[in-house]
Amino acid sequence: MGLDFINRVAKASVILALIQLPFVTVYLGWQIALGVLLGAFWGAANLMLIKYIVTGVITPNPKSKKRALILGAVKFPLLYGLGYLLLISEIFTPVSLLAGFTIIFLVAFLKALGRYLLDNKIISSEMPKNFNKE
């Protein structure tokens, strides 16, 4: 699992949040559905910015360190300020924002579990040999 794993987790989290949107809108209301979606976007943005900051800090290139410092200076006040504004807006319930934010952890767990099961040959990714024979 490399940095591509983080990209796939962020992308899958946003896609999952988009899939839930019409269903949660119908059953629980648009405010909760939009809160989950915004929480997932916030979590994905947070994860991606952390990835860029950490990779910039551990890279020996001085330009990367400067870029990581700038990203950190932008990330913390901007992203957390936006999260604070979402929480105090009273448009979205805190539970819906939290549910959206935690989607990223669920996706990461399920992707890691799937990789573990495939790597240890607990489940197979190959089709049976006689699958297409009639």
Side-chain angles (χ1 to χ4, degrees), residues 45-133:
N46 189 34
L47 183 67
M48 295 305 292
L49 285 171
I50 289 172
K51 180 190 90 163
Y52 289 128
I53 290 170
V54 169
T55 56
V57 167
I58 63 174
T59 305
N61 187 357
K63 286 184 180 179
S64 295
K65 293 188 187 306
K66 185 177 182 180
R67 185 175 140 214
L69 184 64
I70 292 169
L71 277 174
V74 170
K75 175 195 180 288
F76 291 106
L78 185 67
L79 197 60
Y80 294 130
L82 183 64
Y84 176 73
L85 290 175
L86 284 172
L87 281 172
I88 66 167
S89 70
E90 295 184 9
I91 297 172
F92 314 107
T93 62
V95 173
S96 68
L97 293 168
L98 182 64
F101 184 75
T102 57
I103 285 175
I104 206 154
F105 300 115
L106 176 66
V107 169
F109 172 74
L110 291 175
K111 282 190 168 286
L113 179 64
R115 178 60 38 207
Y116 172 79
L117 293 175
L118 286 171
D119 288 347
N120 291 318
K121 306 224 185 291
I122 296 170
I123 59 173
S124 175
S125 61
E126 297 177 9
M127 298 294 283
K129 292 179 183 168
N130 59 358
F131 184 72
N132 289 329
K133 293 183 180 177

Side-chain angles (χ1 to χ4, degrees), residues 33-49:
L34 193 57
V36 172
L37 181 66
L38 290 174
F41 278 133
W42 194 89
N46 189 34
L47 183 67
M48 295 305 292
L49 285 171

